[in-house]
Amino acid sequence: MSLNSAKRVAVIPGDGIGKEVIPVAVKVLDAALHQAGLSIDWTWLDWGSDYFKVNGQMMPTDGIAQLSEFDCIFLGAIGDPEVPDDVTLWGLLMPIRREFDLFVNLRPVRQFDGVRPNVQLPDGEHINMLIVRENTEGEYSESGGRSFKGTCREFAVQNDIFTRFGIERITRFAAEAARNRRHKVTSVTKSNGIIHTMTFWDEVVAETMQEYPDIELSKKLIDAAAAEFVTRPQEFDVVVASNLYGDILSDLGSATVGSLGIAASANLSADPNMPSMFEPVHGSAPDIAGSGIANPIATIWSGVMMLEHLNLNKAATSLMNAIEVSLLNPETRTKDLRGTASTADVEHFLLDLLNNS
Ligand code: GGG
């Protein structure tokens, strides 16, 4: 990790629209940094599905060791129609999350002025929630297997891994985040049906939350929570959820406020000496890749989260302000947000705004 000089960030555009939105994001981050008299030392890495097609692996064998030398990782998207999804995910994203103990996946869901939500809200109310997704255990596990392949007795077993340590630390993170917000945590569960792991989740969340008497805890089944994300999303503040439930609910949450095109995320390490990773929630979107219409805002907002993490706060603030201005009008919003702008239009608008501020 660099101490005195410019922060060092590994950039992995990855696949599909990742290759379109990451270069735009890096340009606007550079402009915001320049305005603030700051800089980042970027190292571009061509890892991902194209690398896999040539080398048979998503990243070099020493990829994790290489990444450990950086202050942060800035990732685009992973996924290619010609490579199985489990190969792309477990070949790059999952090892990074696990090896660097990126135990929090922080996914803010925020309604922006100018962007019409896809749900109806009472007058004067708006959506502003923070999804805190457990990111290293739960349903995303390598434990299990298949037997009797190719026969009528074939079966698959997938074991969910929930540890007291993992549930306690993600609950504490959510409670601390709520202290800077509206003091409410909703724990998402399914303990009526998933009787071992989810009852354990409920118990440990409730025990841990006793350390936070100033925070109101409520518990919701995932099915009820999904319905309430649509019927009264404005009531959620901090949502703490397992790896799978947090992933699903954050797509739903971003759809309520507009689209996945504005869903940002931070994967935060438990170890301050290891790099945290910042990436849009969306994937590689092969259906629109190459057509110049991808929304770069999710990636740029993820970049803002990275600047905040690196304490480059002046640049973070000016870039977040520029994002808010760009979302006000349809001419500077992309099609997913009922706008008319291309990816390049958004880039040029943001660069003009930042360079002339
Ligand atoms: N932005 C990285 C990316 O491609 N994400 C899509 C995805 O499928 N992620 C899986 C996950 O977050 O668990």
Side-chain angles (χ1 to χ4, degrees):
M1 301 262 291
S2 49
L3 289 177
N4 301 317
S5 50
K7 297 293 182 188
R8 295 188 63 224
V9 173
V11 193
I12 310 174
D15 305 331
I17 62 167
K19 290 183 193 155
E20 297 165 44
V21 291
I22 281 280
V24 171
V26 168
K27 273 188 235 168
V28 298
L29 281 158
D30 269 342
L33 287 160
H34 182 73
Q35 279 293 327
L38 302 163
S39 65
I40 277 180
D41 178 4
W42 307 98
T43 298
W44 293 76
L45 301 168
D46 65 350
W47 305 349
S49 295
D50 288 344
Y51 187 93
F52 177 86
K53 287 172 196 170
V54 175
N55 300 288
Q57 50 196 39
M58 293 289 288
M59 62 176 162
T61 308
D62 69 346
I64 294 295
Q66 286 190 44
L67 291 174
S68 69
E69 299 298 317
F70 291 90
D71 293 295
C72 285
I73 303 160
F74 195 34
L75 176 82
I78 295 300
D80 184 304
E82 292 171 19
V83 185
D85 284 339
D86 57 320
V87 171
T88 54
L89 201 63
W90 284 90
L92 188 67
L93 203 52
M94 300 309 293
I96 294 174
R97 286 182 180 160
R98 282 154 186 258
E99 293 296 330
F100 297 130
D101 202 10
L102 308 182
F103 77 110
V104 183
N105 195 336
L106 205 56
R107 296 180 160 194
V109 175
R110 194 189 132 186
Q111 190 182 334
F112 287 91
D113 286 347
V115 181
R116 198 174 85 205
N118 289 315
V119 293
Q120 273 206 312
L121 297 164
D123 283 347
E125 304 258 23
H126 62 278
I127 302 166
N128 188 344
M129 61 173 107
L130 184 65
I131 297 178
V132 177
R133 168 192 182 190
E134 199 294 319
N135 211 27
T136 52
E137 49 182 58
E139 305 86 348
Y140 282 49
S141 115
E142 288 160 295
S143 172
R146 272 164 80 163
S147 286
F148 300 111
K149 278 192 184 170
T151 75
C152 61
R153 294 174 66 196
E154 185 166 2
F155 69 85
V157 176
Q158 174 85 37
N159 295 310
D160 298 353
I161 310 291
F162 284 84
T163 67
R164 177 172 289 280
F165 174 79
I167 304 169
E168 282 180 358
R169 69 177 176 172
I170 200 68
T171 304
R172 285 197 186 99
F173 188 96
E176 297 287 345
R179 280 193 165 150
N180 295 319
R181 296 173 52 95
R182 306 198 306 276
H183 287 70
K184 290 200 290 186
V185 170
T186 304
S187 165
V188 176
T189 182
K190 190 63 190 172
S191 46
N192 58 345
I194 314 292
I195 58 165
H196 300 302
T197 52
M198 280 294 150
T199 49
F200 182 53
W201 169 275
D202 289 355
E203 265 170 50
V204 178
V205 169
E207 278 169 32
T208 310
M209 286 302 293
Q210 285 178 9
E211 298 166 21
Y212 299 88
D214 53 320
I215 307 294
E216 179 191 324
L217 173 68
S218 59
K219 180 178 100 174
K220 282 198 199 304
L221 299 176
I222 175 79
D223 42 339
E228 289 181 26
F229 264 46
V230 175
T231 55
R232 36 195 166 117
Q234 72 279 4
E235 290 180 11
F236 290 92
D237 180 18
V238 174
V239 176
V240 65
S242 66
N243 212 330
L244 178 65
Y245 296 172
D247 190 30
I248 295 169
L249 284 181
S250 46
D251 275 33
L252 181 57
S254 67
T256 65
V257 290
S259 89
L260 267 173
I262 49 170
S265 87
N267 300 260
L268 301 176
S269 179
D271 180 348
N273 295 314
M274 285 296 143
S276 288
M277 176 168 69
F278 299 82
E279 50 160 339
V281 170
H282 65 67
S284 59
D287 54 331
I288 59 160
S291 52
I293 60 165
N295 190 342
I297 296 296
T299 310
I300 299 170
W301 188 6
S302 305
V304 170
M305 295 173 86
M306 180 170 73
L307 296 181
E308 287 166 351
H309 178 78
L310 292 170
N311 284 321
L312 304 174
N313 293 315
K314 198 170 168 212
T317 304
S318 66
L319 187 47
M320 200 63 211
N321 289 340
I323 289 175
E324 287 166 2
V325 176
S326 78
L327 291 172
L328 284 173
N329 297 304
E331 302 80 47
T332 47
R333 290 200 304 262
T334 45
K335 197 174 159 194
D336 54 306
L337 299 176
R338 302 182 178 92
T340 55
S342 65
T343 313
D345 293 334
V346 179
E347 173 191 332
H348 297 142
F349 180 79
L350 291 172
L351 288 176
D352 282 352
L353 210 57
L354 291 162
N355 292 332
N356 298 313
S357 60

